[in-house]
């Protein structure tokens, strides 16, 4: 009796297969309906979105005249550096620049991108009507945002450029010098044309970006200036040689030095004769001071002494003249050396600018011939099948979502609101036999 008054305890036990089957059988209509609705909605969305193809091309960035690599010297050896990562990044930035994309839009025109295909079937007409409605809704929302100051009004060209930026991917291939260009579009043929035009405009922009403006005119002007200065300096040197008779300064200096040595030797001999004669005159005067004849002899010796002294003075003047000539010759030699150094420097600069002028001429000729260090290794091509949407994944996913979501909801409801539906559940919970079962009145 006491047992009958006790409240039964509900215990949670793992669901049995019969319970799962029973729950699924009771809600099979809901599960099938949700699965069908989800599958239909996903299929409709896929049909609405349409297929998306991928147009790709590859460019090889090589070392060339536009990217002259810097050189470094290490361990007494000349090491040439290869391209830097910044070089590849510069190329990708040029290809993705809005100005370049605007050039693509200008090449084809805005209608090429904004025009809708002509519907041919009834379904396509319905789809076109729905798309037009969606566009009007989007335009209304965009105008509202513009009125609130949250967005800026874009021109048709800017709208197309923004769409191209979203659909275009330019990225370097890892561990290579390849740049991959990828464009996702619903029209593969038009996409191939767009990528081809983009590459053509990029190559022209690449050449213009790495070209130094007026380089040829600058080097030509500098080369002409140094050539003119070189000719003037050479003429100055020739006039200097002619006016100073400085044809062989080395030989002239050698002759003057020989003459100087000869005059110095003769002068030293004359000075020695003067000293000897002065000594003799002094001794003669001491010994024979009282003899008239000796006096006459002494006068002759003095006259000879005066002549020697005059010769010494003349030889001194000659030595001074030779020294002046040597100093003048040294000055001439210094001036000629200065002119030679100036001529050599001017000639070196003239040759340097002439070399750069020739390089500028070659570079301009290559630019006109559109020769660059970027090569097209894979022309634009489209995928044979759409890359998006992936039908198998979306359809299988819609089936799994359509069936899984209601099944999960049903079992969650059963877990949160437990209800006894079978004899076995009553026996398990109350631990008492079931004597009778009344039919459901709602089915009567």
């Amino acid at each position: 009796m006491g047992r009958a008054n006790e409240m039964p305890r509900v215990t949670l036990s793992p669901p049995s297969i019969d319970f799962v089957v029973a729950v699924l059988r009771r809600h099979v209509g809901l599960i099938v309906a949700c699965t069908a609705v989800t599958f239909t909605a996903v299929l409709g969305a896929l049909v609405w979105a349409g297929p998306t193809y991928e147009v790709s091309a590859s460019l090889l960035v090589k070392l060339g005249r536009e990217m002259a690599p810097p050189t470094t010297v290490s361990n007494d050896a000349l090491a040439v550096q290869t391209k830097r990562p910044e070089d590849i990044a510069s190329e990708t930035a040029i290809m993705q620049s809005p100005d370049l994309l605007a050039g693509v839009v200008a090449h084809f025109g805005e209608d090429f991108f904004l025009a809708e295909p002509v519907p041919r079937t009834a379904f396509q007409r319905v789809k076109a009507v729905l798309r037009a409605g969606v566009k009007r809704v989007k335009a209304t929302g965009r105008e509202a945002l513009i009125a609130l100051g949250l967005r800026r009004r874009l021109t048709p060209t800017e709208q197309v450029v923004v769409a191209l930026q979203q659909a275009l991917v330019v990225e370097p291939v890892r561990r290579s010098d390849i740049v991959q260009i990828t464009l996702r579009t619903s029209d593969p043929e038009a996409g191939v044309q767009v990528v081809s035009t983009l590459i053509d405009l990029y190559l022209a922009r690449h050449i213009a970006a790495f070209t130094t403006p007026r380089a040829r005119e600058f080097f030509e002007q500098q080369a002409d200036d140094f050539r003119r200065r070189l000719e003037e300096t050479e003429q100055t040197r020739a006039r200097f040689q002619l006016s100073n008779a400085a044809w062989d300064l080395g030989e002239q200096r050698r002759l003057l030095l020989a003459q100087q040595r000869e005059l110095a030797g003769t002068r030293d001999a004359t000075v020695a004769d003067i000293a000897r004669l002065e000594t003799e005159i002094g001794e003669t005067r001491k010994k024979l001071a009282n003899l008239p004849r000796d006096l006459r002899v002494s006068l002759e010796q003095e006259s000879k002494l005066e002549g020697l002294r005059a010769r010494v003075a003349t030889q001194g003047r000659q030595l001074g003249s030779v020294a002046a000539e040597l100093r003048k010759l040294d000055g001439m030699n210094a001036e000629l050396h200065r002119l030679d150094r100036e001529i050599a420097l001017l000639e070196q600069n003239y040759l340097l600018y002439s070399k750069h002028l020739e390089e500028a001429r070659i570079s301009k000729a290559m630019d006109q011939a559109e020769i660059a260090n970027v090569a097209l290794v894979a022309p634009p091509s489209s995928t044979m099948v759409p890359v998006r949407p992936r039908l198998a994944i979306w359809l299988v996913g819609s089936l799994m979502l359509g069936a899984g979501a209601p099944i999960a909801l049903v079992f969650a409801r059963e877990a949160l609101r437990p209800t006894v539906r079978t004899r076995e559940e009553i026996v398990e919970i109350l631990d008492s036999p079931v004597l009778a079962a009344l039919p459901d009145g709602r089915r009567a």
Side-chain angles (χ1 to χ4, degrees):
M1 194 68 181
R3 181 180 180 86
N5 293 329
E6 293 180 359
M7 294 296 295
R9 293 182 303 169
V10 178
T11 60
L12 296 177
S13 59
S16 62
I17 296 178
D18 295 337
F19 171 75
V20 172
V21 172
V23 171
L24 294 178
R25 184 180 300 171
R26 284 195 303 271
H27 300 89
V28 63
L30 175 64
I31 296 173
V32 172
C34 290
T35 304
V37 170
T38 304
F39 182 82
T40 304
V42 171
L43 183 60
L46 294 178
V47 173
W48 172 267
T52 300
Y53 296 85
E54 193 172 85
V55 179
S56 61
S58 299
L59 296 175
L60 173 63
V61 181
K62 305 175 291 184
L63 279 175
R65 56 190 176 90
E66 302 100 334
M67 298 179 182
T71 57
T72 57
V73 178
S74 60
N75 298 327
D76 299 330
L78 189 64
V80 180
Q81 299 179 356
T82 58
K83 292 187 300 298
R84 304 169 301 162
E86 291 83 357
D87 298 331
I88 305 296
S90 300
E91 303 304 315
T92 59
I94 293 175
M95 279 183 271
Q96 291 177 308
S97 62
D99 184 59
L100 190 67
L101 297 179
V104 175
V105 177
H107 176 80
F108 290 100
E110 300 166 358
D111 295 337
F112 179 83
F113 299 93
L114 298 177
E116 292 287 344
V118 179
R120 301 182 182 277
T121 62
F123 176 77
Q124 290 178 350
R125 295 189 187 94
V126 173
K127 185 176 178 181
V129 172
L130 293 177
R131 283 185 178 275
V134 172
K135 281 187 176 181
R136 283 194 293 270
V137 172
K138 288 183 178 180
T140 303
R142 185 165 53 249
E143 291 296 330
L145 293 177
I146 294 173
L148 295 174
L150 300 178
R151 287 189 61 177
R152 183 175 68 88
R153 187 181 301 278
L154 299 179
T155 64
T157 299
E158 291 175 338
Q159 295 177 11
V160 176
V161 169
V162 171
L164 284 177
Q165 286 180 328
Q166 296 174 351
L168 182 67
V169 177
V170 181
E171 57 185 359
V173 179
R174 188 177 180 183
R175 302 180 65 85
S176 70
D177 297 330
I178 300 293
V179 176
Q180 186 77 20
I181 305 173
T182 304
L183 178 68
R184 289 186 174 179
T185 176
S186 59
D187 189 347
E189 296 180 358
V192 171
Q193 298 178 20
V194 170
V195 174
S196 299
T197 304
L198 175 67
I199 292 174
D200 294 338
L201 295 178
Y202 155 72
L203 292 176
R205 181 67 57 84
H206 166 85
I207 294 174
F210 286 94
T211 299
T212 304
R214 301 187 62 186
R216 178 178 176 180
E217 291 79 2
F218 170 76
F219 289 123
E220 187 173 5
Q221 179 182 359
Q222 292 297 318
D224 290 340
D225 181 55
F226 278 108
R227 179 183 54 79
R228 177 182 54 79
R229 293 169 57 185
L230 178 61
E231 292 176 353
E232 292 177 354
T233 306
E234 289 177 343
Q235 292 174 2
T236 301
R237 188 184 188 282
R239 287 194 300 267
F240 181 81
Q241 275 188 316
L242 183 62
S243 61
N244 294 277
W247 301 108
D248 193 349
L249 297 181
E251 182 63 21
Q252 292 177 0
R253 181 177 179 81
R254 188 185 64 79
L255 293 176
L256 287 174
L257 288 176
Q259 184 180 359
Q260 185 182 43
R261 286 193 298 271
E262 183 179 356
L263 287 173
T266 304
R267 184 176 178 276
D268 292 340
T270 303
V271 171
D273 291 339
I274 291 174
R276 181 180 52 78
L277 188 57
E278 287 178 346
T279 301
E280 290 178 358
I281 291 174
E283 292 177 353
T284 302
R285 285 181 177 179
K286 289 180 182 179
K287 294 179 181 180
L288 304 173
N290 298 324
L291 296 177
R293 185 178 180 180
D294 294 336
L295 181 60
R296 286 194 300 272
V297 172
S298 178
L299 292 174
E300 292 176 1
Q301 289 176 342
E302 288 181 356
S303 177
K304 184 179 180 180
L305 178 61
E306 290 298 328
L308 291 175
R309 287 175 177 171
R311 184 186 300 173
V312 169
T314 301
Q315 292 172 347
R317 288 192 296 272
Q318 291 177 347
L319 283 173
S321 177
V322 172
E325 289 292 332
L326 284 173
R327 288 193 297 273
K328 180 181 178 181
L329 193 64
D330 290 340
M332 293 167 54
N333 192 28
E335 180 65 15
L336 286 177
H337 279 305
R338 185 190 67 80
L339 292 174
D340 289 339
R341 287 194 301 270
E342 186 175 354
I343 289 173
L345 181 60
L346 291 173
E347 185 176 6
Q348 180 181 359
N349 290 332
Y350 171 68
L351 293 176
L352 178 62
Y353 280 100
S354 297
K355 178 182 178 181
H356 287 309
L357 175 60
E358 187 63 24
E359 291 176 352
R361 288 173 179 169
I362 295 173
S363 180
K364 187 173 182 179
M366 295 179 71
D367 291 342
Q368 292 176 349
E370 297 184 352
I371 299 175
N373 68 320
V374 179
L376 181 64
V377 294
S381 60
S382 173
T383 54
M384 302 300 294
V385 295
V387 295
R388 289 191 311 179
R390 298 181 179 180
L391 296 178
I393 295 177
W394 278 97
L395 294 179
V396 173
S398 66
L399 292 175
M400 295 177 63
L401 178 63
I407 290 175
L409 291 175
V410 166
F411 279 99
R413 181 174 178 275
E414 292 290 337
L416 294 176
R417 297 177 61 185
T419 303
V420 177
R421 298 180 183 277
T422 63
R423 294 171 178 264
E424 291 78 8
E425 292 177 356
I426 294 176
V427 172
E428 182 180 359
I429 295 173
L430 298 179
D431 195 16
S432 298
V434 178
L435 301 178
L438 298 176
D440 191 354
R442 291 173 297 179
R443 299 180 180 178

